[in-house]
Amino acid sequence: MSGAKDGPRLPRSRGELSAGVLAHLRGDGPLPPVRAAAAADPYGDDLHLALYTCYELHYRGFAGVDPASEWDPALLEVRAALERRFESALRDDVAHTAGLDDVLDGLLVEPVQGTGVSYFLQERGDLSALRSYGVQRSLYHLKEADPHAWVLPRLSGRAKAGMAAVEYDEFGAGRHDQVHAQLFADLMTDLGLETAYGHYLDDGHAEMLALVNLMSLFGLHRRLRGALVGHFAAVEITSSPASRRLAEAMKRAGAGPAAEYFYTEHVEADAVHEQVVRHDVIRGLLDDEPDLEADVVFGINTTGFLEDRLGERMMADWRS
């Protein structure tokens, strides 16, 4: 196909919506009807694979798919319907909390007896569990920080400078071998996993797809710039202690030096990033646009909501 570029292969469909999107991109079938999105499970495999596939056209694309599909009007109409279904569900289901300072402070609280994925892996995770964790997280970490870069043109002043400073670190501070996506690929090599971008898309849980889709949704819509900043804050503020536990998990299981290094790097870097995000990015944004505070809170809370869903899914898999 003219203009096509090699990339990950198209995934297997998981229902009517994803089957229609994939058939359209292959050129061998019609798109699903827009109305079908309204009846779909807003957190289910079918909707999130369809939406992930649409969004991926803005990143690396797919092998054999014309890059012009990124701006296909009919596909964008379907994508908008998928987005409406997803965002509407989040606004209904995610707790509406007031007070940004209280929400931010809450992210810093570490429970005395913690539960969840990083605690489980630190205490009991074997190489099999670490590999399954790496497979899921690869859907984001092999393009780490890319979704957040969309917000840079939507910011100004102190918020823009702070966000650019953090992104510079995420992209290796000028060293290609320190780009965080490359560091995660090195982790995957230590774990004996395939490192090709998008290789594990068919293995991605709906809960992981939803989390990555959240970043793309916030990043690709200027009206959601505050929510993207909130999401980014949630990630950076909670990353350092969780990364410490995961580094210990990798060391205990003998995963390898690169696997351990990915998380030790995040312990130090994200401790600094947390301060920049709180004092420069968020405060800078709200000094310029104070009416976006509720959006920042929404971004923080939706991130926690979807991370909890992913954690519950992975813990259930490991228990069984």
Side-chain angles (χ1 to χ4, degrees):
M1 183 179 296
S2 177
K5 180 182 177 182
D6 287 338
R9 60 179 175 79
L10 286 168
R12 296 188 295 270
S13 65
R14 303 187 191 182
E16 174 190 13
L17 294 169
S18 54
V21 167
L22 293 166
H24 180 75
L25 292 176
R26 290 192 303 265
D28 61 11
L31 281 165
V34 170
R35 65 181 181 276
D41 178 353
Y43 307 115
D45 280 291
D46 190 27
L47 183 144
H48 280 288
L49 180 61
L51 187 54
Y52 190 102
T53 302
C54 291
Y55 283 148
E56 193 55 40
L57 299 173
H58 297 294
Y59 294 101
R60 308 282 184 89
F62 293 98
V65 174
D66 189 340
S69 298
E70 178 181 7
W71 300 112
D72 180 337
L75 185 60
L76 290 174
E77 184 179 10
V78 170
R79 192 191 92 184
L82 299 171
E83 290 174 326
R84 285 193 297 271
R85 179 65 172 149
F86 182 35
E87 185 181 349
S88 176
L90 289 172
R91 293 193 181 277
D92 287 342
D93 296 339
V94 174
H96 297 272
T97 56
L100 174 60
D101 289 339
D102 289 341
V103 172
L104 289 172
D105 289 343
L107 294 176
L108 293 169
V109 175
E110 284 280 295
V112 175
Q113 296 293 329
T115 60
V117 168
S118 65
Y119 292 95
F120 173 86
L121 293 175
Q122 178 190 32
E123 296 168 5
R124 291 188 286 157
D126 58 13
L127 285 174
S128 176
L130 292 172
R131 289 187 184 107
S132 66
Y133 182 77
V135 164
Q136 295 303 315
R137 288 292 182 179
S138 72
L139 298 184
Y140 167 62
H141 281 305
L142 290 181
K143 59 181 171 195
E144 183 169 343
D146 288 351
H148 306 126
W150 298 112
V151 82
L152 283 167
R154 286 89 186 264
L155 303 177
S156 61
R158 186 154 55 107
K160 190 186 196 85
M163 190 75 187
V166 176
E167 287 285 272
Y168 179 67
D169 286 348
E170 301 283 346
F171 293 134
R175 294 181 54 189
H176 70 88
D177 60 328
Q178 292 298 304
V179 172
H180 284 188
Q182 179 58 53
L183 296 181
F184 195 80
D186 297 340
L187 171 151
M188 295 179 75
T189 297
D190 268 4
L191 291 174
L193 298 172
E194 172 58 57
T195 63
Y197 181 94
H199 177 82
Y200 289 109
L201 180 51
D202 279 329
D203 299 290
H205 298 330
E207 294 83 358
M208 187 67 218
L209 296 175
L211 191 58
V212 183
N213 284 341
L214 183 77
M215 304 179 204
S216 299
L217 172 69
F218 289 167
L220 288 168
H221 291 272
R222 181 180 175 275
R223 67 181 175 84
L224 294 172
R225 62 196 179 279
L228 189 283
V229 166
H231 161 79
F232 194 61
V235 171
E236 295 298 322
I237 291 172
T238 60
S239 173
S240 188
S243 292
R244 183 176 293 107
R245 290 188 287 273
L246 290 166
E248 292 175 5
M250 295 293 175
K251 182 177 182 178
R252 184 183 54 76
E260 189 178 342
Y261 178 71
F262 177 81
Y263 289 108
T264 57
E265 163 67 13
H266 280 73
V267 170
E268 181 176 347
D270 290 345
V272 176
H273 293 170
E274 179 250 317
Q275 295 297 315
V276 176
V277 171
R278 285 192 68 155
H279 299 297
D280 291 331
V281 181
I282 293 178
R283 288 270 65 93
L285 174 66
L286 296 183
D287 284 349
D288 291 341
E289 301 182 273
D291 57 317
L292 292 183
E293 179 172 339
D295 287 346
V296 175
V297 172
F298 176 67
I300 293 171
N301 289 339
T302 53
T303 301
F305 175 76
L306 292 179
E307 283 281 7
D308 287 346
R309 286 178 58 87
L310 175 62
E312 290 166 5
R313 169 67 185 274
M314 298 194 76
M315 292 296 292
D317 287 349
W318 291 329
R319 291 191 189 102
S320 66

